[in-house]
Amino acid sequence: MSRANDREIVSLQYNSDKNLHARQALHRGFSTNKYGWENWVFDQYIFNPNDKVIEFGCGNGSIWAHNKNKLPKNIEIILTDLSEGMLKTSKNNLSGVNQIVNYCTMDIQNIEYENNSFDCVIANHMLYHVPNRDLAISEIARILKPEGTFYATTNSTYSLAGLKDLVRNFDSRLDYASFSVAKEFGLENGIEQLSKHFDSVEKAVYEDSLHITEAKPLADYVLSLEGHVNIHDIMTENKIKDFHEYLEEMILRDGSIDIPKCSGIFICKRPKK
């Protein structure tokens, strides 16, 4: 078990959408690909009339919220998460979206639905947090109909490498450089894991980068990694102030902080029964 899928750490990290929101805010505010991650991911989904859809680890429901006006009227969506706080936020963000018929806490490793129940299963940026990922993927294949599709997003192992260097140069005691969710399940190793349970696995990549011109959103992003990174051990109030000044000096000197990033989606069909 790693810090990426330690249940205690993950529970602390996602008991509300505070940390997730801080990270989303940086990407939304400073991404160079202006089409938008939420729009691009939704474009990959193919929904047919009367489809039954379930998402695991729905978080604050941002992809649905950004695309609620594009949803077909005749599909049924169930949103699940381990965090009741996330589900509450998601429900608030998606008030009035009639296609979402239920919000419930559920463990992807032990799915409480019968075989062949769903036309579409979604797991966005969450499989790397699952302790027994192989069991989770087998459960997804089990509940999917034979003609169903599983969509799973994640990051490249090389995404935001520049941010890790930036944090390490500020204080080498911060262990952000050694933390990587994508090493658990990323664009480079996801096909191998998914192919055990699906006969067809395709990958699509969303190219992007960050052009950051404000210090606070970047500082908030780094501080949001509490638990995954030893933030509380190092970042005292004075140290946080120093970190803000460190970032502001870089932006003043160079005009911006530019960091490459890369994420994508796996589209999986023909589940192995």
Side-chain angles (χ1 to χ4, degrees):
M1 187 176 294
S2 72
R3 286 177 293 165
N5 54 36
D6 183 300
R7 272 293 164 89
E8 185 175 342
I9 293 175
V10 172
S11 178
L12 170 67
Q13 175 66 212
Y14 295 104
N15 61 1
S16 75
D17 86 324
K18 175 187 173 184
N19 293 320
L20 176 61
H21 181 78
R23 295 195 284 276
Q24 289 175 333
L26 181 72
H27 289 293
R28 287 181 189 140
F30 302 98
S31 289
T32 58
N33 189 331
K34 297 306 179 184
Y35 186 65
W37 168 253
E38 288 93 348
N39 294 325
W40 182 83
V41 172
F42 190 82
D43 286 351
Q44 311 311 307
Y45 300 158
I46 297 177
F47 298 129
N48 296 308
N50 303 311
D51 271 359
K52 297 184 72 173
V53 180
I54 187 168
E55 179 177 13
F56 293 95
C58 67
N60 56 18
S62 63
I63 289 176
W64 302 109
H66 276 77
N67 295 280
K68 58 187 177 182
N69 294 329
K70 303 176 189 175
L71 285 172
K73 288 183 168 43
N74 54 358
I75 65 171
E76 293 185 0
I77 303 169
I78 296 171
L79 300 186
T80 81
D81 203 289
L82 279 178
S83 167
E84 292 184 2
M86 282 293 194
L87 285 172
K88 182 179 179 181
T89 300
S90 185
K91 194 170 185 178
N92 289 336
N93 290 342
L94 296 166
S95 175
V97 181
N98 296 326
Q99 293 91 334
I100 301 175
V101 297
N102 195 16
Y103 300 81
C104 55
T105 56
M106 192 174 297
D107 187 345
I108 195 172
Q109 299 167 118
N110 182 26
I111 300 174
E112 301 166 13
Y113 286 100
E114 296 181 355
N115 297 354
N116 308 318
S117 295
F118 292 93
D119 302 281
C120 177
V121 178
I122 295 168
N124 287 328
H125 277 65
M126 63 81 67
L127 280 177
Y128 40 59
H129 291 314
V130 180
N132 191 336
R133 199 159 33 258
D134 187 66
L135 174 60
I137 298 169
S138 72
E139 279 283 271
I140 291 164
R142 178 183 67 78
I143 66 167
L144 262 178
K145 296 176 182 179
E147 68 278 10
T149 305
F150 173 44
Y151 300 94
T153 65
T154 188
N155 301 320
S156 166
T157 53
Y158 303 104
S159 189
L160 301 182
L163 179 55
K164 295 184 177 185
D165 294 336
L166 181 152
V167 172
R168 180 174 51 210
N169 291 338
F170 170 71
D171 192 321
S172 60
R173 295 174 298 166
L174 286 164
D175 56 6
Y176 180 30
S178 65
F179 172 69
S180 173
V181 292
K183 286 182 180 178
E184 297 289 327
F185 179 83
L187 293 182
E188 289 77 19
N189 59 21
I191 289 178
E192 179 182 359
Q193 297 179 55
L194 294 164
S195 293
K196 295 178 183 178
H197 302 284
F198 291 89
D199 282 326
S200 172
V201 181
E202 297 180 358
K203 178 173 67 175
V205 175
Y206 181 76
E207 297 291 350
D208 201 358
S209 65
L210 292 171
H211 179 73
I212 304 165
T213 55
E214 299 175 28
K216 187 178 184 303
L218 181 53
D220 289 345
Y221 181 103
V222 173
L223 295 172
S224 77
L225 294 165
E226 58 180 334
H228 291 316
V229 180
N230 59 343
I231 296 291
H232 288 312
D233 297 336
I234 308 297
M235 299 298 275
T236 63
E237 186 175 340
N238 286 336
K239 197 70 174 176
I240 292 172
K241 182 180 178 181
D242 292 342
F243 187 50
H244 276 262
E245 292 177 354
Y246 166 74
L247 297 175
E248 286 169 352
E249 288 173 2
M250 291 181 67
I251 292 170
L252 184 63
R253 183 190 68 215
D254 301 327
S256 64
I257 295 173
D258 295 279
I259 300 172
K261 62 173 180 169
C262 181
S263 301
I265 191 168
F266 293 109
I267 301 171
C268 311
K269 297 181 179 180
R270 301 203 298 275
K272 299 178 182 179
K273 302 293 186 178

